[in-house]
Amino acid sequence: RIENRRALIRLGVSGAIAGNLMLMSVSLYGGADGWYGMLFSWVSVLLCLPLLTWGAWPFYHGAWASLRMRRISIDVPIALALILGFLSSFLQLMAGAEHLYFDSLGMLVFFLLGSRYILTLMQRKAHRGADLHVQVLPVQALQCDVSESGHGETCYAAGKKKPVSELRVGDVVCVNPDEMIPVDGQVVRGESEIDLGWITGESVPQPVGVRSDVYAGTRNLLGTLYISVAEVGVMTRVGKLLAAIEHYPKSQFTQTMDRVAQWLLIVVLVISAGALVFFGLNGQFLEGFNRVLALLIVTCPCALAIATPLALSNGLGLAAGEGILIRNPDVIESIAKITHVFLDKTGTLTRGFLAVKSVTVVDTSLMSVADAHAIAYAMESQSKHPIARAIARYYETGDTIPHKHVVIEHMHEVAGQGLFGECHGHRLEMIAGMASQEGDGLAQASLMTTVVLRIDGAVVLTYDISDTLYADAEFLVQALRQKNLQIRVLSGDSPKAVSRLATQLGLHASEWQGGGSPESKTQSVLAYPHTMMVGDGANDAVALKAATVGVAVHGSLEASMKAADVYLGKPGLGGVIRLLGICRQTRQVIRRNLALSLVYNVAFCIAALMGAITPLVASVLMPLSSLTVVVSSMWTSPGGSGGECEGDSPHEKKQTKGRQPFATHRGEHS
């Protein structure tokens, strides 16, 4: 706000001075001479001095800062033009000449400040659109009034809505059922269950009560909670994650355009020096100076400098609005080169919420059925794998928790293989077995895999585990094929279970792989130079890192952001196609803006050298080029027309009208 206020004051004062300079010039152009001519000329000098010192200070500051870093910024030719223009006019005034440019310089400073202010407003708007904290977290909270009753009890009364950024440590906020928690803090009153799934991937709601810690970005499900504020904004648990995502490194696109702008500035300065020498040698120094001044003003590569960052910011903001968090803006360029897309199965193509359909007792010669169940529960309850959690949940939710306490010795888990341990000298294994034949009778969208408990090599229990395909999984495969991308499903599940899924999706035998380990998935991804891996952040971390672009599906934000370049904040697979569409259209906007700015600079460079435009006309044309690029980026940005986003599956298109964004400003989670 302070910066904006200062810019407005500088713009207003500069405009007033420039207007008075124009009034003085009208008198001089109208024929004022003698004492009045001298008076108006020297008053113009006095008015121009504060305008060219205090008013134009941002340009001098920017130019000097870039030169100290041994770079040439867009402020260098502006500062050079202002200084040369004033010195030329002042020297001509001292010599009694009539060619004075004080009014033109005044209007130039005013136009430059005005255009830069408008550009700043538009860029701030674009950056606000890309602000993940605004997209993901609530921006307002219901603050409560805290008081003490006569009996020493703490009372909480309904207060009023307040911006989260204005909350302080120790304030108490009220969160009603089905609302997102806006802060990190501790429950001081109330009991409920909260959904931690978006942050941790935990699918089971967690009970909370007084003194329980809760986190921003999670959802209150049942009762009203009163929470004492501990952290807000970027200091919250999820805020730190989002801040790490938002600290984008400078993209390759931007670095390339920086180099192009540097060379353009150098070429302009060389051409200006050459033109000044040429006209000077031909006795037309004044005419040459006018043309060089117009050239320095009109070819300022402002549009070239802002075209790429602004388009990237719009693209990242649009993706965030769709629930797609992009960690690195280079993803937008990298996706254009993708040739192969690898898809995980469990939790990616399927919902990942596994359930035990049936349990079969195979062999009881080694121990009783009760002991076998106790061993199975003791092993699976110690693992976080989705299949292990499904088996543990089967015992817990069915009131069948074995009462006998079993201690598993040397318990360890091998990724992609299973659980191993020992109990009373028996060798234990919980591993994936062959798919159950009963799965053939399931509904079309249902998948089946089998887990077996082996004791000393003998199969004792078998568990049939079912999963369900996402409704848009088939659409994803079709859409990727339409884009001429090679598809391959990589899964650690049994080959027969993966084969059944491949049949449903219409995949060929060469397009899927079952029974794979994390290492084999990584080797498959590394076999090609331009790859995209789509999986869940926890189980596919190595493959996601190995791919050119790693895309983590809805689940654990914490685990995903450590491995993936992109995180899909909404369940389902439509976000993958929307990501491809947003990146493709953002690249088109970048290239169109660059073409516009380059054509503009070349055309008006020639016009200035030919004397077709004056310095005053150049001062009007220069900011117009930047505004053209800004309008092009904002108006024709991907999805800016308000139509359906590319990549919406038929299932999603039915819900497009009125579809809520990732998280609205009211904090409602999509």
Side-chain angles (χ1 to χ4, degrees), residues 463-497:
Y463 299 82
D464 288 334
I465 313 292
S466 64
D467 198 359
T468 306
L469 268 176
Y470 274 111
D472 48 8
E474 187 174 353
F475 169 76
L476 172 66
V477 172
Q478 295 173 354
L480 292 176
R481 281 180 172 162
Q482 289 175 359
K483 295 179 180 295
N484 297 319
L485 296 173
Q486 300 296 316
I487 309 166
R488 194 172 187 188
V489 173
L490 304 177
S491 176
D493 209 343
S494 65
K496 192 164 186 178

Side-chain angles (χ1 to χ4, degrees), residues 182-408:
V183 297
D184 283 3
Q186 191 174 77
V187 178
V188 294
R189 183 178 178 182
E191 294 182 349
S192 182
E193 291 184 354
I194 59 173
D195 180 8
L196 288 166
W198 189 77
I199 298 179
T200 65
E202 177 63 50
S203 59
V204 179
Q206 300 297 306
V208 294
V210 176
R211 296 184 180 178
S212 296
D213 293 328
V214 293
Y215 304 100
T218 59
R219 182 168 290 278
N220 179 26
L221 299 178
L222 299 178
T224 299
L225 294 176
Y226 293 86
I227 301 168
S228 176
V229 177
E231 302 287 356
V232 298
V234 296
M235 299 307 297
T236 60
R237 179 179 179 181
V238 70
K240 292 176 181 177
L241 288 170
L242 298 177
I245 302 172
E246 285 187 320
H247 289 163
Y248 302 117
K250 183 173 285 190
S251 70
Q252 295 178 2
F253 259 141
T254 305
Q255 292 176 13
T256 301
M257 288 309 104
D258 283 349
R259 289 192 292 268
V260 172
Q262 285 283 300
W263 281 107
L264 178 61
L265 286 167
I266 293 173
V267 170
V268 167
L269 292 175
V270 171
I271 292 176
S272 300
L276 201 58
V277 171
F278 173 79
F279 282 102
L281 293 176
N282 288 276
Q284 296 178 306
F285 180 81
L286 183 59
E287 178 64 22
F289 180 82
N290 289 335
R291 296 189 183 189
V292 168
L293 191 59
L295 174 64
L296 289 174
I297 295 170
V298 80
T299 56
C300 176
C302 297
L304 193 63
I306 67 172
T308 300
L310 192 59
L312 286 174
S313 183
N314 285 337
L316 296 172
L318 178 67
E322 290 285 336
I324 303 169
L325 308 185
I326 299 178
R327 188 175 186 175
N328 189 329
D330 279 335
V331 167
I332 292 175
E333 176 66 14
S334 299
I335 281 183
K337 303 175 183 178
I338 295 300
T339 57
H340 291 72
V341 178
F342 295 91
L343 304 168
D344 178 45
K345 182 180 83 72
T346 305
T348 302
L349 292 171
T350 64
R351 297 185 180 276
F353 189 82
L354 306 176
V356 177
K357 182 177 182 291
S358 63
V359 181
T360 304
V361 179
V362 178
D363 187 353
T364 58
S365 60
L366 295 175
M367 60 181 63
S368 66
V369 175
D371 289 342
H373 282 299
I375 288 174
Y377 176 70
M379 294 181 71
E380 298 290 45
S381 61
Q382 297 183 53
S383 172
K384 296 297 183 182
H385 192 280
I387 291 179
R389 289 166 59 188
I391 295 175
R393 193 163 51 244
Y394 163 77
Y395 286 110
E396 294 167 356
T397 58
D399 296 326
T400 56
I401 297 180
H403 296 289
K404 184 176 181 179
H405 180 67
V406 177
V407 177
I408 308 298

Side-chain angles (χ1 to χ4, degrees), residues 8-314:
L8 276 176
I9 293 173
R10 194 182 303 272
L11 177 62
V13 173
S14 299
I17 294 175
N20 281 280
L21 281 171
M22 292 298 291
L23 290 176
M24 296 296 172
S25 66
V26 167
S27 299
L28 293 172
Y29 294 150
D33 55 7
W35 189 86
Y36 284 107
M38 186 63 65
L39 174 64
F40 292 148
S41 296
W42 282 101
V43 170
S44 296
V45 173
L46 294 176
L47 287 174
C48 200
L49 283 174
L51 188 61
L52 291 180
T53 52
W54 175 77
W57 173 250
F59 308 116
Y60 303 137
H61 182 268
W64 177 245
S66 65
L67 291 176
R68 287 182 61 185
M69 297 175 64
R70 298 181 180 179
R71 294 172 57 87
I72 300 178
S73 73
I74 59 178
D75 289 324
V76 171
I78 293 178
L80 190 60
L82 294 176
I83 293 171
L84 290 178
F86 178 79
L87 290 177
S88 173
S89 296
F90 185 77
L91 292 175
Q92 291 187 64
L93 174 62
M94 296 297 292
E98 298 179 354
H99 297 282
L100 308 179
Y101 297 105
F102 299 121
D103 56 329
S104 298
L105 293 173
M107 294 307 296
L108 173 60
V109 172
F110 176 65
F111 282 140
L112 289 174
L113 290 173
S115 63
R116 187 159 292 191
Y117 181 75
I118 295 173
L119 290 175
T120 302
L121 292 181
M122 290 187 172
Q123 287 177 311
R124 284 175 182 167
K125 180 179 179 182
H127 288 308
R128 280 196 298 269
D131 186 350
L132 300 183
H133 293 85
V134 174
Q135 295 284 354
V136 173
L137 298 176
V139 295
Q140 287 191 327
L142 180 61
Q143 184 180 8
C144 298
D145 296 326
V146 183
S147 60
E148 297 291 334
S149 68
H151 303 284
E153 297 179 351
T154 304
C155 299
Y156 302 99
K160 59 181 180 179
K161 287 282 187 178
K162 187 175 182 178
V164 173
S165 59
E166 296 182 10
L167 294 174
R168 297 293 177 263
V169 175
D171 289 346
V172 176
V173 297
C174 175
V175 182
N176 294 312
D178 200 34
E179 287 184 353
M180 184 178 289
I181 296 175
V183 297
D184 283 3
Q186 191 174 77
V187 178
V188 294
R189 183 178 178 182
E191 294 182 349
S192 182
E193 291 184 354
I194 59 173
D195 180 8
L196 288 166
W198 189 77
I199 298 179
T200 65
E202 177 63 50
S203 59
V204 179
Q206 300 297 306
V208 294
V210 176
R211 296 184 180 178
S212 296
D213 293 328
V214 293
Y215 304 100
T218 59
R219 182 168 290 278
N220 179 26
L221 299 178
L222 299 178
T224 299
L225 294 176
Y226 293 86
I227 301 168
S228 176
V229 177
E231 302 287 356
V232 298
V234 296
M235 299 307 297
T236 60
R237 179 179 179 181
V238 70
K240 292 176 181 177
L241 288 170
L242 298 177
I245 302 172
E246 285 187 320
H247 289 163
Y248 302 117
K250 183 173 285 190
S251 70
Q252 295 178 2
F253 259 141
T254 305
Q255 292 176 13
T256 301
M257 288 309 104
D258 283 349
R259 289 192 292 268
V260 172
Q262 285 283 300
W263 281 107
L264 178 61
L265 286 167
I266 293 173
V267 170
V268 167
L269 292 175
V270 171
I271 292 176
S272 300
L276 201 58
V277 171
F278 173 79
F279 282 102
L281 293 176
N282 288 276
Q284 296 178 306
F285 180 81
L286 183 59
E287 178 64 22
F289 180 82
N290 289 335
R291 296 189 183 189
V292 168
L293 191 59
L295 174 64
L296 289 174
I297 295 170
V298 80
T299 56
C300 176
C302 297
L304 193 63
I306 67 172
T308 300
L310 192 59
L312 286 174
S313 183
N314 285 337

